[in-house]
Amino acid sequence: MKRLFLAVILTFFAILFTHARELTPLNESQKFKQFGLVWGLMKYHHPLVSKGKYNWSEVFVKNAEKLERIKNQEELNFFLLNFINSFKSSKIKISNDFDGLFTKNYDYDWIAKFQPTSELYKKLNELKLNTNINDYYVSIGKLSVIPTFENEKALEKFDFSIKSHRLLTLFSFWNAIQYFDVNKYLMDTDWEDTLDKLIPAFLTCDAELNYEKLKAEMVRALDDSHAFYLNQNLLDSLFEYKPSFVTNLVNDTLVVIATFDKNVDEYNNIKLGDKIVKIGDKSIKTSILEDLSPYISASNYSFLKRLSNWVLHGKSDSLKVTIARNDSLFSKNLPRYKDFTNTNPKVLSRDTPRKKWQFIEDDIGYINLKSISKKEIKTAFSSFSQTKGIIIDLRNYPNNLALNELTHYLYPERKTFIHVLGPIANRPSLAKHVKSPLKLIIDPFKTGHKNRNFYSKRIVLLVNNNTMSQSEYIGMAIQGSPNCLTVGETTAGAVMNIAAFTLPDATEVNFTSLGAFYPDGSGAQRKGLKIDHYVNETTSNFLKDQYVLKGIELIKMK
């Protein structure tokens, strides 16, 4: 009898041991990832959670702390199922209709990837397909298709040193982008891969400055020139000291275009027109990619070049550079300063038009859109009526001019110049091409009007990496005119309006809220405006405005 009892006990423990070996172990990143994904799915898909019935940030913190005791996938599946079931259920409306919808951002592969139980999979899949969704956490108005996150609030007593608080920052932002950034499919790195990279770092972050760096890295992954995030502490840490001169990037060389009277000694080291070809032992392009790119979200390299002067800023009070001057090449250690007064500026003289509008030749007009008014644009087009062509300078951000006040003179009839992609309130991850919201409202994606007296000669549009956001939108409208050629370099690649999202630590992050496409279907987000003729600026010719010279050449060719 004792032997039989012993055999039974041994068999029992053998079964337990075998079962234990079959349990699927989890590391810390895996279990927090699965919980964060389920938490985000419920936030934007669950009928009552999406109605704001619960303090969803507090729910995250409370349950994230419970995850500490979970050791394997089987326990996590049980935890996640109980988590979902702990919230009151409501009517689920299933829809598998994707006709006419933009599906490139539709990504729920993670549901099956983590081997949920059949019951858990069913719950998650129902939420994925649910269209009975409320708009507490994200709303899209009838008159605007821009998503707003006005009920995203800071977490009370947020403390970056608390792991669950840091993870809340990560998953709050990640899920908002996952479900409502229509340009997500354009990112260089898959958004889920970005999450996989960031979770371990957010878990182990041990200093406030490192936390800020991780936030900057998180936002930078959007590859969106609108998504700029560097708080003051991070700015001070990375770029606290700056030189008392300003440069302009020409190809891969920084040309000194302005100096300030900080001290006499520095003037012996740096002069107007000097060409900086290296910073330390790195080329300028390498410095931009290594020192700026990790922290600054940019749709393209052209936008990063716009901030190239920042590579001369840094953490120390001196900077080693290699300078080309005349026919010599030499290295210098230049001083950098925390603060200085920009007194006695000396600026490199450049031959470029200065007026809002002018004749640059007898039969060629020039208009700078930066500050020109409706009245002035009318006078300009009247004066240019007999010219061979007009150069329109959009290397700036127009401040005083509405779009239709310009295209009034450029279009023979009203037409569509842009197609816009917007999110759908009750279909997270999906999007659709937007039409005019109401019949009573004029279609914002058309411009011009019937005008037999429109300007029918050559239009040359000048653009560069300062052409961004509304400037790019206006640029697309100008390009839609019958006789337009575009001259310049790649624009910033962030065409449409921004959406603002408040993180749990009360900081705000922006991203481009809509997608922009030309009428032929080609995209403008990240790519920037279409360019007909790229400008070839060099360090020897950039003192003369090569953009304007190319415009004159194209007008004379017609």
Side-chain angles (χ1 to χ4, degrees):
M1 187 67 181
K2 289 182 180 180
R3 291 181 179 178
L4 179 61
F5 178 74
L6 181 60
V8 170
I9 293 297
L10 290 174
T11 302
F12 175 74
F13 279 104
I15 293 172
L16 282 180
F17 179 72
T18 301
H19 179 66
R21 285 191 305 170
E22 292 174 353
L23 294 178
T24 309
L26 280 176
N27 63 40
E28 196 174 28
S29 293
Q30 290 171 330
K31 63 185 178 183
F32 278 110
K33 177 181 179 179
Q34 292 183 55
F35 172 68
L37 292 174
V38 172
W39 175 84
L41 181 73
M42 292 185 68
K43 181 176 183 177
Y44 294 117
H45 288 74
H46 190 282
L48 293 183
V49 173
S50 64
K51 202 172 185 177
K53 291 292 185 181
Y54 308 93
N55 185 329
W56 208 236
S57 293
E58 293 289 355
V59 166
F60 180 95
V61 170
K62 179 181 177 180
N63 283 275
E65 291 168 354
K66 294 178 182 177
L67 288 173
E68 300 291 347
R69 61 176 181 264
I70 290 177
K71 305 301 181 184
N72 55 65
Q73 185 66 55
E74 288 72 17
E75 289 180 2
L76 182 61
N77 285 341
F78 182 76
F79 174 85
L80 293 176
L81 183 60
N82 283 343
F83 173 72
I84 295 172
N85 289 336
S86 67
F87 298 96
K88 186 177 179 181
S89 61
S90 186
K91 186 176 181 181
I92 297 288
K93 295 180 180 178
I94 301 294
S95 176
N96 280 306
D97 181 12
F98 299 99
D99 288 348
L101 300 182
F102 187 86
T103 60
K104 288 186 177 181
N105 295 311
Y106 192 81
D107 178 16
Y108 296 84
D109 291 347
W110 59 269
I111 293 178
K113 191 184 301 182
F114 298 124
Q115 304 173 351
T117 62
S118 58
E119 188 177 358
L120 178 57
Y121 179 82
K122 180 181 178 182
K123 290 278 186 181
L124 295 174
N125 205 48
E126 284 178 348
L127 286 170
K128 176 186 78 172
L129 299 173
N130 176 46
T131 60
N132 180 22
I133 298 172
N134 289 283
D135 62 356
Y136 182 80
Y137 290 110
V138 59
S139 60
I140 299 170
K142 293 181 179 179
L143 301 182
S144 170
V145 291
I146 301 169
T148 58
F149 303 87
E150 60 186 20
N151 287 317
E152 287 292 340
K153 308 294 184 184
L155 181 70
E156 188 176 353
K157 298 180 180 179
F158 180 91
D159 184 347
F160 87 91
S161 67
I162 299 174
K163 179 165 58 178
S164 59
H165 290 196
R166 297 193 303 271
L167 290 171
L168 176 63
T169 294
L170 173 60
F171 282 105
S172 292
F173 184 70
W174 190 91
N175 279 291
I177 296 299
Q178 173 76 354
Y179 294 119
F180 290 101
D181 182 357
V182 299
N183 296 306
K184 178 170 70 80
Y185 71 103
L186 294 172
M187 296 177 192
D188 285 342
T189 303
D190 181 84
W191 191 227
E192 187 177 336
D193 291 343
T194 296
L195 182 64
D196 288 334
K197 179 183 177 182
L198 289 175
I199 290 174
F202 271 87
L203 279 169
T204 58
C205 179
D206 58 357
E208 186 171 6
L209 183 59
N210 290 337
Y211 168 69
E212 290 298 333
K213 286 182 178 179
L214 287 175
K215 284 164 57 182
E217 185 178 348
M218 174 180 74
V219 176
R220 178 254 171 270
L222 300 187
D223 298 315
D224 179 359
S225 299
H226 270 143
F228 184 89
Y229 175 78
L230 285 174
N231 85 331
Q232 195 59 51
N233 288 339
L234 188 54
L235 276 171
D236 290 344
S237 170
L238 297 172
F239 308 110
E240 183 175 12
Y241 293 87
K242 58 184 177 180
S244 62
F245 58 88
V246 177
T247 61
N248 186 55
L249 186 67
V250 181
N251 291 328
D252 291 325
T253 299
L254 292 171
V255 181
V256 178
I257 61 170
T259 60
F260 304 100
D261 196 3
K262 176 63 184 174
N263 59 58
V264 175
D265 290 338
E266 185 170 347
Y267 275 75
N268 294 326
N269 290 331
I270 199 77
K271 295 181 178 180
L272 290 176
D274 277 351
K275 304 171 184 65
I276 299 175
V277 296
K278 279 189 177 182
I279 299 174
D281 296 323
K282 296 189 291 189
S283 69
I284 305 303
K285 184 173 183 178
T286 299
S287 295
I288 291 172
L289 293 175
E290 292 184 358
D291 300 333
L292 293 185
S293 181
Y295 304 105
I296 295 175
S297 187
S299 298
N300 49 51
Y301 180 66
S302 186
F303 178 77
L304 274 180
K305 288 167 59 178
R306 173 177 169 179
L307 305 175
S308 59
N309 201 65
W310 284 28
V311 295
L312 297 171
H313 298 206
K315 303 177 182 180
S316 66
D317 61 2
S318 65
L319 172 71
K320 180 186 176 183
V321 297
T322 302
I323 299 171
R325 181 186 297 167
N326 299 325
D327 294 326
S328 62
L329 193 69
F330 56 93
S331 295
K332 284 285 185 180
N333 284 310
L334 299 178
R336 294 193 290 201
Y337 310 91
K338 284 187 177 182
D339 296 294
F340 66 87
T341 304
N342 295 351
T343 57
N344 190 26
K346 296 182 179 180
V347 180
L348 195 65
S349 178
R350 302 180 67 189
D351 183 15
T352 191
R354 305 292 181 184
K355 297 179 180 179
K356 295 180 183 180
W357 68 271
Q358 65 185 82
F359 283 91
I360 51 177
E361 292 199 1
D362 291 341
D363 54 1
I364 298 177
Y366 169 87
I367 297 173
N368 190 314
L369 295 184
K370 182 176 182 179
S371 58
I372 198 166
S373 66
K374 176 181 179 181
K375 182 177 180 180
E376 290 167 331
I377 205 79
K378 180 179 180 181
T379 303
F381 271 96
S382 176
S383 301
F384 295 154
S385 60
Q386 300 304 313
T387 57
K388 289 183 178 179
I390 300 173
I391 296 172
I392 298 179
D393 198 339
L394 192 54
R395 295 173 292 178
N396 49 58
Y397 194 93
N399 294 311
N400 300 323
L401 193 68
L403 174 62
N404 288 324
E405 293 169 355
L406 174 62
T407 55
H408 170 84
Y409 303 99
L410 299 178
Y411 279 61
E413 59 186 4
R414 188 166 181 78
K415 61 177 284 190
T416 298
F417 70 93
I418 188 173
H419 289 164
V420 173
L421 186 70
I424 306 171
N426 68 337
R427 301 295 298 275
S429 300
L430 296 171
K432 64 181 179 182
H433 286 282
V434 180
K435 297 181 179 179
S436 182
L438 297 174
K439 292 182 179 179
L440 296 178
I441 297 178
I442 192 168
D443 190 337
F445 310 132
K446 292 183 177 182
T447 193
H449 77 292
K450 198 168 187 63
N451 180 12
R452 289 185 300 175
N453 298 317
F454 79 103
Y455 187 84
S456 59
K457 306 295 179 58
R458 171 67 70 203
I459 294 291
V460 174
L461 175 67
L462 307 184
V463 299
N464 66 3
N465 53 17
N466 289 314
T467 309
M468 176 174 173
S469 194
Q470 184 180 344
S471 295
E472 291 178 293
Y473 183 81
I474 292 172
M476 291 178 75
I478 296 172
Q479 290 179 321
S481 61
N483 297 302
C484 179
L485 289 176
T486 302
V487 168
E489 65 173 320
T490 304
T491 61
V495 182
M496 299 302 296
N497 309 66
I498 62 171
F501 186 87
T502 301
L503 298 175
D505 62 8
T507 55
E508 188 174 273
V509 177
N510 297 328
F511 63 94
T512 306
S513 63
L514 306 171
F517 299 82
Y518 285 94
D520 66 3
S522 56
Q525 181 70 16
R526 295 206 66 187
K527 294 180 181 179
L529 300 185
K530 292 181 177 180
I531 308 293
D532 297 302
H533 298 273
Y534 284 90
V535 168
N536 183 27
E537 276 192 320
T538 67
T539 55
S540 60
N541 73 16
F542 89 107
L543 291 179
K544 288 187 176 294
D545 196 326
Q546 299 301 311
Y547 292 72
V548 172
L549 292 177
K550 186 64 178 180
I552 293 172
E553 176 190 332
L554 291 170
I555 290 171
K556 287 184 173 180
M557 286 173 56
K558 189 171 181 181

